[in-house]
């Protein structure tokens, strides 16, 4: 999740910034927008909270939040003008459900190796999986590779500015298309990541947490709150995201530092506790996801096909190990070869 921090510069209208993304959702999304699902593991969807209805306009929120952002935005590489639209897109894929601290080293290595989409497209998809390292949810690497191939083939190697063209790229969902169009090109779009949804839920709707999945009511509210001016809208999208990342956090929110605390509906209501199902964190130890990670780690370290026996050594339970390996093959992350050998995908 990224966001701009400076005025237009060169061909990139607004350089990007980022917000800390949650890292506890299951790797089950069908597009690149996994970060928009929930603060924690999606469970049974709660009843939609009472909606404040379309906002009469967010002008009373825009100035204090944007002004706060000007003074508090973090200095991150994807926020800088030289990152360009490709840098914004890479950061968006990496930050889904993964905190900034883990993304930073991988992002910098990635852009040093593949500074343009065509550079990544020229390599086998397995190299993207290898370079993804331990960021988690490695299907994002395959989706980013697929997007790079499409950008190279359809758009001459330049990330398109048009929202519809972005949305047509493989692995790009509504969130990522809106984020790239807004943060890289300064366009007017509602960018609804988990942090923004939480800010709107508290400040406008008066509830502690948004629903697990983004609702139509949330989208209407986000559109109603958008400033009319394109540049201001892009700044608002960035600022509200950063506010959720740094101040209006899922736990231990810092209302004393919030620029709109005096107007926050949730705070004014006495901070009523979440009324939906318990918000449970996701366990990792002993899960298929852990086994998948161990299997992929072996293949990432190897530069030649790996025999089944080497994979068998990473996990003691054969049924779970086989299930995890079959899942990796089905997801296109592992390629089986004759003779019981396995490797990262080559095509």
């Amino acid at each position: 999740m990224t966001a701009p921090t400076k005025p237009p510069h060169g061909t990139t209208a607004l350089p990007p910034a980022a917000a800390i993304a949650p890292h506890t959702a299951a790797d089950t999304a069908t597009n690149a927008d996994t970060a928009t699902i929930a603060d924690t593991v999606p469970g049974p969807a709660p009843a939609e909270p009472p909606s404040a209805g379309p906002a009469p306009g967010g002008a009373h929120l825009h100035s204090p939040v944007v002004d706060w952002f000007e003074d508090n935005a973090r200095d991150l590489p994807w926020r800088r003008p030289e990152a360009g639209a490709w840098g914004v897109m890479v950061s968006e894929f990496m930050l889904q459900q993964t905190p900034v601290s883990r993304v930073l080293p991988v992002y910098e290595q990635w852009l040093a190796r593949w500074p343009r989409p065509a550079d990544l497209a020229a390599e086998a998809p397995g190299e993207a999986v290898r370079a993804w390292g331990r960021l988690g949810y490695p299907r994002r690497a395959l989706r980013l590779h697929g997007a790079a191939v499409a950008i190279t083939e359809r758009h001459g190697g330049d990330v398109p500015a048009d929202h519809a063209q972005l949305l047509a790229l493989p692995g790009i969902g509504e969130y990522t298309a809106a984020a790239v169009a807004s943060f890289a090109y300064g366009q007017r779009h509602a960018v609804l990541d988990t942090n923004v949804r939480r800010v709107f839920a508290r400040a406008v709707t008066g509830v502690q947490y948004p629903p697990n999945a983004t609702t139509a009511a949330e989208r209407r509210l986000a559109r109603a709150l958008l400033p009319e001016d394109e540049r201001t809208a892009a700044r608002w999208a960035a600022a509200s995201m950063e506010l959720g990342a740094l101040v209006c956090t899922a736990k231990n929110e810092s209302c004393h530092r919030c620029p709109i605390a005096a107007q926050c509906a949730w705070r004014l209501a006495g901070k009523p506790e979440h009324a939906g199902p318990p918000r449970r964190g996701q366990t990792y130890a002993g899960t298929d996801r852990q086994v998948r990670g161990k299997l992929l780690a072996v293949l990432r370290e190897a530069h030649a096909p790996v025999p089944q026996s080497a994979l068998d050594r990473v996990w003691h339970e054969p049924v779970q190990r086989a299930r995890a390996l079959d899942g990796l093959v089905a997801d296109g992350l592992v390629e089986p070869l004759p003779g019981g050998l396995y490797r990262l995908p080559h095509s």
Side-chain angles (χ1 to χ4, degrees):
M1 281 165 271
T2 56
T5 59
K6 296 181 181 179
H9 180 90
T11 57
T12 300
L14 287 170
I20 298 172
H23 57 281
T24 53
D27 187 18
T28 56
T30 57
N31 60 44
D33 289 14
T34 54
T36 64
I37 297 174
D39 286 316
T40 55
V41 181
E48 188 170 311
S51 174
H60 62 298
L61 303 176
H62 298 156
S63 292
V65 173
V66 170
D67 289 347
W68 170 87
F69 180 65
E70 297 290 344
D71 295 331
N72 294 278
R74 291 165 292 173
D75 179 24
L76 296 168
W78 46 83
R79 299 180 172 185
R80 300 167 189 159
E82 60 268 23
W86 174 238
V88 175
M89 179 174 286
V90 171
S91 72
E92 288 297 336
F93 274 78
M94 290 186 174
L95 286 161
Q96 291 157 17
Q97 298 169 297
T98 307
V100 165
S101 59
R102 290 179 59 199
V103 166
L104 278 169
V106 180
Y107 173 89
E108 292 174 342
Q109 292 166 12
W110 190 283
L111 267 295
R113 180 175 178 180
W114 298 309
R116 289 180 52 81
D119 301 318
L120 176 58
E123 299 236 28
E127 287 306 301
V129 176
R130 193 188 312 277
W132 199 256
R134 302 189 65 83
L135 281 184
Y137 309 107
R139 278 184 288 178
R140 293 179 294 168
L142 289 183
R143 292 172 186 143
L144 184 50
H145 183 275
V149 170
I151 290 167
T152 303
E153 293 176 349
R154 303 176 195 173
H155 303 289
D158 294 323
V159 176
D162 181 74
H163 180 268
Q165 291 179 335
L166 286 166
L167 197 56
L169 295 173
I172 301 288
E174 176 56 39
Y175 166 78
T176 303
V180 174
S182 177
F183 301 157
Y185 295 112
Q187 297 174 16
R188 182 179 183 271
H189 293 282
V191 184
L192 271 177
D193 86 320
T194 300
N195 293 298
V196 176
R197 294 175 60 227
R198 188 169 56 250
V199 168
F200 291 175
R202 291 175 179 174
V204 180
T205 312
V207 296
Q208 186 177 17
Y209 297 118
N212 283 339
T214 306
T215 66
E218 287 181 284
R219 294 189 179 94
R220 288 194 299 270
L221 176 60
R223 289 192 295 268
L225 289 171
L226 266 180
E228 290 298 323
D229 173 70
E230 273 204 339
R231 183 177 184 278
T232 306
R235 302 295 284 172
W236 163 250
S240 55
M241 184 177 291
E242 192 82 329
L243 185 66
L246 300 182
V247 175
C248 193
T249 50
K251 296 180 180 179
N252 303 316
E253 63 280 351
S254 301
C255 296
H256 64 285
R257 296 194 293 123
C258 180
I260 54 172
Q263 306 168 62
C264 176
W266 182 56
R267 179 176 174 274
L268 292 174
K271 293 188 176 181
E273 292 191 8
H274 179 61
R279 302 172 66 80
R280 297 181 299 274
Q282 183 187 39
T283 58
Y284 180 74
T287 63
D288 283 7
R289 185 169 160 239
Q290 183 185 23
V291 183
R292 285 165 60 103
K294 287 181 174 292
L295 294 170
L296 272 182
V298 173
L299 294 166
R300 281 199 310 269
E301 292 299 320
H303 292 274
V306 172
Q308 176 79 55
S309 59
L311 298 178
D312 288 346
R313 289 194 290 269
V314 307
W315 197 252
H316 63 282
E317 210 290 304
V319 174
Q320 186 180 26
R321 185 179 64 236
R323 183 172 65 241
L325 181 58
D326 288 345
L328 290 170
V329 171
D331 289 342
L333 290 163
V334 172
E335 183 178 334
L337 299 173
L341 299 175
Y342 296 86
R343 68 182 181 187
L344 296 177
H346 277 224
S347 60

